[in-house]
Amino acid sequence: MPPARKCTIMGKTTCPGGRGTEELAMQTIYRFSTPGRTEISGNHTDHQHGCVLAAAVDLETTAEVTLRPDPIIRVASEGYAPVEIDLNDLSVHEAEKNTTAALVRGVAAAFVQRGCQLRGFDAAVRSTVLPGSGLSSSAAFEVLIGTICNELFFDRKCSAVEIAQIGQYAENVYFGKPCGLMDQMASSVGGLVFIDFADPQTPLVERVEFDFAHCGYTPCILDSGADHADLTDEYAAIPQEMRSVARCFGKEVLREVNEAEFYAQLKQVREQTGDRAVLRAMHFFDENRRVLEQVQALKNGDFEGFLAGVRDSGRSSWMLLQNIIPLGSTAHQQMALAQALCEKLLDGRGACRVHGGGFAGTILAFVPDEMLGQFRSGAEAVLGAGSCHMLSIRQTGGTRLG
């Protein structure tokens, strides 16, 4: 068969029938996928330049993308009203904060700042990462938009780490949420990863080889039923109070503070920052060390040692970090109830802990496989049908499928 005939008209390559490559490109459908993430260990350590252990999971956000002839990015997420941004205006819009449009505009702005020549596109987005599930639907979405921009318009110049940093930038600056980098990093990199944020510009990322699928336990996420709405101040107070302790020592984050010096000056720090800030700093020091111990336990095949760390993390988040019950909440304490219920159902086996930001959202539990059916039915009898999600680890991060 002879090769397809091509010719050039006014500098544009065309194919038989007069259709230009530009027209064909805009008819092409590009497919992308990014995973949700689960925080395995390291609760509120990332924003203090600490260590975390996280994993991409088998719940995903996907997009079918077609190019546009104009500078408009239009995202239509299933179940939500479409959002549009104009690439000619990538400034921060105060009225857009806490919206999907802010995330899209922020990711686009970060790519343009790096020299990327973006074009408009339509993205039809679907997700099995339920909003508010603690599996970071927002991070998966940010990484998805970043992966689209990187693959289609930037010749894959950004690494998985840089795409995660772009997502964090969009969430911090454009969306208005002072999140750390763990969520985006786990979604972008994929697999089970240890991340050390001592230098957040160049974090150490190490894949941890451990087969959760054959350890005899299933990781489960339990939805407490609590709503994240109106909790931004609660979340923001945690890094603010931790930093107030760090500033007592002339530092900006707790990772830079010597733990022994912190305890030696505990009386003075209490007076300057208040007791809750001190307790949260105690949590950071313990939790950061705990991550390292749990990573080593997994490398050594010591799953019981790892589970002991999960249990200790859960207690520390409740007692020291205090991100279980929103301030002043008495009648509604869904996270506390969910964690207490998990411990009761596990009956001394497995482990559970608060998952992610806390206050609302989910609990992470490692459930012995032989107890899984009983555990799930017991949890859903109280928390509601569909509240218990069984997870598996996904090895790939943000990906172009075709």
Side-chain angles (χ1 to χ4, degrees), residues 355-373:
H355 183 251
F359 299 114
T362 55
I363 299 294
L364 170 67
F366 288 90
V367 183
D369 289 343
E370 63 272 18
M371 296 178 63
L372 192 55

Side-chain angles (χ1 to χ4, degrees), residues 337-350:
L337 177 62
Q339 182 159 329
L341 176 63
C342 284
E343 293 187 2
K344 183 68 175 177
L345 293 171
L346 288 170
D347 193 25
R349 302 184 62 190

Side-chain angles (χ1 to χ4, degrees), residues 211-333:
D211 187 6
F212 274 103
H214 296 92
C215 67
Y217 290 79
T218 297
C220 295
I221 291 293
L222 289 98
D223 187 349
S224 68
D227 189 355
H228 285 87
D230 301 321
L231 289 173
T232 298
D233 289 345
E234 294 274 16
Y235 295 127
I238 294 176
Q240 289 169 0
E241 291 181 11
M242 288 184 174
R243 288 192 175 97
S244 73
V245 172
R247 284 193 287 271
C248 291
F249 300 90
K251 308 296 183 182
E252 281 302 309
V253 292
L254 286 174
R255 184 66 179 273
E256 300 171 346
V257 176
N258 180 277
E259 184 178 0
E261 188 177 352
F262 163 74
Y263 280 104
Q265 299 188 33
L266 198 57
K267 183 176 184 298
Q268 298 93 314
V269 176
R270 283 185 68 194
E271 293 170 351
Q272 292 182 52
T273 65
D275 287 346
R276 190 173 71 170
V278 166
L279 291 168
R280 285 175 164 172
M282 289 179 176
H283 165 83
F284 170 81
F285 289 121
D286 291 347
E287 187 82 345
N288 202 53
R289 182 168 48 251
R290 189 157 34 240
V291 172
L292 300 175
E293 293 169 351
Q294 288 180 278
V295 169
Q296 193 59 51
L298 291 176
K299 289 180 177 180
N300 294 341
D302 178 14
F303 197 69
E304 287 302 321
F306 164 79
L307 288 178
V310 174
R311 288 188 287 269
D312 288 344
S313 175
R315 296 186 189 106
S316 181
S317 291
W318 197 327
M319 295 173 60
L320 302 179
L321 185 59
Q322 300 179 46
N323 66 334
I324 301 291
I325 303 170
L327 188 64
S329 184
T330 55
H332 300 288
Q333 300 186 4

Side-chain angles (χ1 to χ4, degrees), residues 38-78:
T38 182
E39 173 196 286
I40 303 295
S41 183
N43 197 220
H44 281 281
T45 52
D46 56 340
H47 51 67
Q48 297 302 298
H49 299 186
C51 300
V52 301
L53 181 64
V57 298
D58 56 339
L59 302 179
E60 64 178 350
T61 300
T62 61
E64 291 188 345
V65 176
T66 54
L67 302 182
R68 294 174 61 107
D70 55 23
I72 301 298
I73 294 178
R74 186 177 189 271
V75 178
S77 296
E78 191 173 53

